[in-house]
Amino acid sequence: MSKKIIIDTDPGIDDAMAILFAFASPEIEVMGLTTIYGNVHTALATQNALRLAEFAGRPQTPVAHGADKPLVIPFDEAPEIVHGADGLGNTHQPPPHGRPIERSAAQFLVETIMAHPGEITLVPVGPLTNLAVALKLEPRIAQHVAEVVVMGGAATVNGNVNPAAEANIWHDPHAADKVFTAGWPVTLVGLDVTMATQMDNAYLAGLRASRTGEFIFQISRFYQQFHKLAHGIDACHTHDPSAIAYVIDPSLFTTERGPIRVVTEGIAMGQTLMDRRREWLTPNAWSDMPEVNVCVEVDSARLLALYQQRISAAG
Ligand code: RIB
Ligand code: CA
C-alpha cells in the first residue's frame, strides 16, 4: 500500500527535485503540497508548487498557501544566490494555470490528518512554521499523524548557514523546537546525511534522457554554481530528495535516537542539539522530551540509483 504524504515546501531547486521524485514513486501518494517561505517568499513558493504539480502531470494536487513569516523572528530575504530569483535556478518557467486552494496550509494539514487518522506522513522540507501553526490549531494531530520526516537540522555535523544552524531550522527555530518536542514520531533527515550524498555533474547529465530529468538538469545548473562557490565541489548536495528517499526506503539510512532541542537565540540560534550522552542524572531541558529518530549514515550509492531510476521512469 502506498504512503499518503503531504510535502511542506519552499521550492527551491532541491525542493523541486524532491517533489518530482515523490510524484514519480509508486510507493507514495502525494495528498498535497503546502508552501512556506525560505528559499523564496511564500507567494513564489506557491506559484512554483503549482508549476511543479502541473509539470508532473498532477494538476489536481491541492496546493495550500502557508505562513508568510516565522513565529517570532523576522524573515528578511530569500537567498537568491542559492536558488535564483525565481527559486528554480532562473530558468523562468511559465506561469501556472491553477490556483491554490482557499484553506491555509495549516488548515489543510489539520483537515487531512484528521480525515485520515494514522495514515498521513508529513514531509517538511522547508522552515517548520506551518507545522507549528497546525499543532496549535489542533493539538490532536500529534496523535493522528503516521510520521513526520523533516529535512532539516544537523545533529552530528556543523550547520550550513553557520557552524551551528542548518537553513530550514535557522529560519524558524521557535517552530522547530515545537515540532521536535510535540510527541509525534519525528525522523530527522539532516545535513548529517544530505551532504554526504552528492549528485555530481556526470550524474545530473545522465538524468537528461527523460523530460523530467532534463528539467532537473536545467534547474540544477544554477544550484551547481552555488555549490562550486560555497563548497568548492562540482556536484550538488542531496537535501530535500533525501527526505523522500527515507519515506520510500528507510533501510537506506542508519539512525540513532535521542531528544532534540533547538537553540532559539544567541550565536547558536537554529542549532539542533541532540542529547547523545545517555546520562539522565541531572534534570535539564532535554529530560522527558520525546526521542527523535535521527539519520546519521546513508547508503549514498543506493539512494542515487533509486533517484535515477525513478526520474528516468517518470518520462
Ligand atoms: O539546508 C538545506 C535546506 O535548505 C533545503 O531544504 C533547501 O531547499 C534549503 O531550503
Ligand atoms: Ca527546501
Side-chain angles (χ1 to χ4, degrees):
M1 210 177 68
S2 60
K3 287 187 189 170
K4 294 179 168 58
I5 75 167
I6 300 172
I7 307 175
D8 188 69
T9 176
D10 57 338
I13 295 169
D14 61 319
D15 300 73
M17 294 164 77
I19 289 166
L20 297 174
F21 185 25
F23 277 131
S25 294
E27 298 88 348
I28 287 177
E29 182 184 351
V30 181
M31 301 290 283
L33 303 174
T34 52
T35 64
I36 191 68
Y37 64 87
N39 295 328
V40 291
H41 285 271
T42 311
L44 182 51
T46 301
Q47 294 299 296
N48 284 345
L50 289 163
R51 283 185 178 99
L52 290 162
E54 290 172 10
F55 176 85
R58 308 287 185 91
Q60 305 309 330
T61 308
V63 173
H65 186 84
D68 290 308
K69 58 184 174 56
L71 295 183
V72 177
I73 63 175
F75 175 62
D76 291 331
E77 55 184 87
E80 288 187 14
I81 190 177
V82 188
H83 297 270
D86 67 353
L88 295 173
N90 289 341
T91 55
H92 306 296
Q93 301 298 319
H97 299 288
R99 296 175 51 79
I101 61 173
E102 294 298 326
R103 275 114 63 220
S104 72
Q107 287 169 330
F108 178 77
L109 292 173
V110 168
E111 284 170 20
T112 312
I113 293 167
M114 296 309 279
H116 302 272
E119 289 186 46
I120 303 294
T121 297
L122 302 182
V123 191
V125 293
L128 293 166
T129 319
N130 289 334
L131 272 70
V133 175
L135 277 167
K136 187 155 188 216
L137 266 182
E138 177 48 275
R140 288 179 301 163
I141 63 172
Q143 282 82 56
H144 291 299
V145 81
E147 191 173 6
V148 183
V149 179
V150 177
M151 189 285 126
T156 63
V157 297
N158 279 149
N160 57 0
V161 175
N162 59 41
E166 180 280 328
N168 288 341
I169 308 301
W170 182 76
H171 278 304
D172 195 345
H174 298 86
D177 195 53
K178 288 183 194 307
V179 167
F180 294 134
T181 57
W184 50 6
V186 178
T187 290
L188 193 76
V189 183
L191 299 182
D192 315 75
V193 288
T194 66
M195 289 179 73
T197 303
Q198 298 188 2
M199 296 183 178
D200 65 22
N201 280 326
Y203 176 89
L204 289 160
L207 300 176
R208 301 183 74 178
S210 71
R211 170 181 164 270
T212 304
E214 176 63 23
F215 177 83
I216 289 170
F217 177 77
Q218 292 303 337
I219 62 173
S220 76
R221 296 305 79 209
F222 192 93
Y223 203 42
Q224 208 292 297
Q225 281 172 27
F226 164 73
H227 280 77
K228 183 78 177 172
L229 195 68
H231 304 285
I233 56 174
D234 293 316
C236 299
H237 293 139
T238 308
H239 296 304
D240 296 349
S242 293
I244 301 298
Y246 180 89
V247 174
I248 296 171
D249 184 359
S251 81
L252 293 165
F253 299 88
T254 307
T255 58
E256 239 182 62
R257 296 186 68 82
I260 287 184
R261 298 302 307 266
V262 180
V263 180
T264 54
E265 57 190 11
I267 61 168
M269 186 182 82
Q271 184 174 15
T272 45
L273 203 38
M274 173 166 61
D275 190 345
R276 306 176 73 198
R277 305 167 309 153
R278 299 285 182 266
E279 290 170 18
W280 311 106
L281 291 180
T282 318
N284 57 56
W286 286 254
S287 308
D288 305 323
M289 286 297 169
E291 290 192 333
V292 174
N293 188 42
V294 180
C295 294
V296 290
E297 281 177 30
V298 56
D299 186 338
S300 298
R302 209 148 64 81
L303 190 156
L304 290 172
L306 175 70
Y307 190 84
Q308 193 272 335
Q309 189 261 324
R310 295 302 158 80
I311 297 306
S312 57

